[in-house]
Amino acid sequence: MVKVLAFSGSTRRGSLNQAIVECAAQAARNAGAEVTVINLADYAMPIYNQDEEDDYGVPERAQAFKQLLIEHDAFLIASPEYNSSYPAVLKNAIDWASRKVGDEAVLAAYKDKVVGLMAASGGALGGMRVLMVLRMLMQNLMCVVAPQQVSVARAGEKLDAAGKLCDEPTQKQLAVLAQQVVSMAEKLKA
Ligand SMILES: Cc1cc2nc3c(=O)[nH]c(=O)nc-3n(C[C@H](O)[C@H](O)[C@H](O)COP(=O)(O)O)c2cc1C
């Protein structure tokens, strides 16, 4: 069974992106995957500094995040758009997880991992611009990024009373993305 790790690039309480990644996680389970949802708030790590890495190594929580990436075949990533790009908290976690420790293979966390991208924003563009730069970043890290992607515009208006962002149109789009991610990961794993 394909293992999928789902996380967002927001550590904000009430994050729209954490809400859509949870909806996408359910869609991936429906597509036959085993899914782990995490919140980067639980993996708080310092801003990357090479001197500190040289002196103290990769921090425990950064290594724990990287280990999760290594153990999963595919990732579902929902990113906020900050000034048309990804937030520092997401890039920082991705950077730490790109660092090789011991006898790990180069880019062990990323090579040949299938990635499904999505974004949610309160605005009319739904974070479309972050999807382009995040796609480029993940591809440069040797991931295989699914052609499908989802952006949810005016996402704040689509939250239900329980804070879930899984209205029917969003759910349908996320199902198409999740099915593609799971199917690509199955093929790469075979
Ligand atoms: C520093 C900053 C820059 C932002 N830039 C954009 C932007 O370029 N495009 C956009 O649609 N929203 C932008 N926003 C609004 C975020 O998309 C919005 O806060 C969103 O809810 C964040 O995602 P979250 O709910 O998952 O935390 C920005 C917000 C912040 C704090």
Side-chain angles (χ1 to χ4, degrees):
M1 187 185 271
V2 160
K3 289 180 74 178
V4 176
L5 184 69
F7 57 97
S8 82
S10 175
T11 51
R12 188 174 76 80
R13 284 192 302 275
S15 159
L16 299 169
N17 285 281
Q18 193 67 25
I20 53 163
V21 94
E22 280 167 18
C23 186
Q26 189 52 50
R29 286 188 195 102
N30 296 344
E34 180 188 329
V35 186
T36 311
V37 181
I38 60 163
N39 191 319
L40 285 185
D42 297 324
Y43 295 86
M45 54 189 90
I47 296 288
Y48 182 80
N49 175 311
Q50 194 165 355
D51 290 337
E52 286 177 18
E53 184 190 4
D54 291 344
D55 290 347
Y56 310 113
V58 173
E60 202 176 314
R61 277 180 283 192
Q63 187 62 24
F65 173 64
K66 178 169 69 173
Q67 193 55 38
L68 278 173
L69 296 174
I70 289 171
E71 287 165 4
H72 288 76
D73 307 300
F75 317 137
L76 290 169
I77 308 176
S79 181
E81 181 175 284
Y82 277 10
N83 299 315
S84 72
S85 189
Y86 29 70
V89 70
L90 178 61
K91 180 62 159 55
N92 190 49
I94 288 172
D95 286 344
W96 271 118
S98 71
R99 305 301 292 162
K100 179 172 147 49
V101 171
D103 57 4
E104 284 171 4
V106 173
L107 294 180
Y110 299 112
K111 193 170 177 302
D112 297 336
K113 305 297 173 114
V114 177
V115 180
L117 296 177
M118 68 212 83
S121 133
L125 295 179
M128 277 303 283
R129 294 172 302 178
V130 69
L131 293 176
M132 286 189 281
V133 285
L134 194 51
R135 173 174 294 275
M136 200 167 66
L137 170 67
M138 299 315 292
Q139 282 174 183
N140 289 341
L141 288 167
M142 310 299 282
C143 291
V144 182
V145 184
Q148 291 286 349
Q149 59 186 22
V150 174
S151 68
V152 183
R154 304 198 192 291
E157 298 163 26
K158 296 173 182 167
L159 283 173
D160 69 15
K164 290 198 184 304
L165 209 173
C166 212
D167 62 304
E168 205 182 320
T170 305
Q171 203 175 24
K172 278 189 178 154
Q173 290 179 60
L174 292 174
V176 174
L177 172 66
Q179 276 158 19
Q180 185 170 69
V181 167
V182 172
S183 147
M184 286 171 67
E186 281 168 352
K187 285 177 188 140
L188 262 180
K189 211 177 165 170

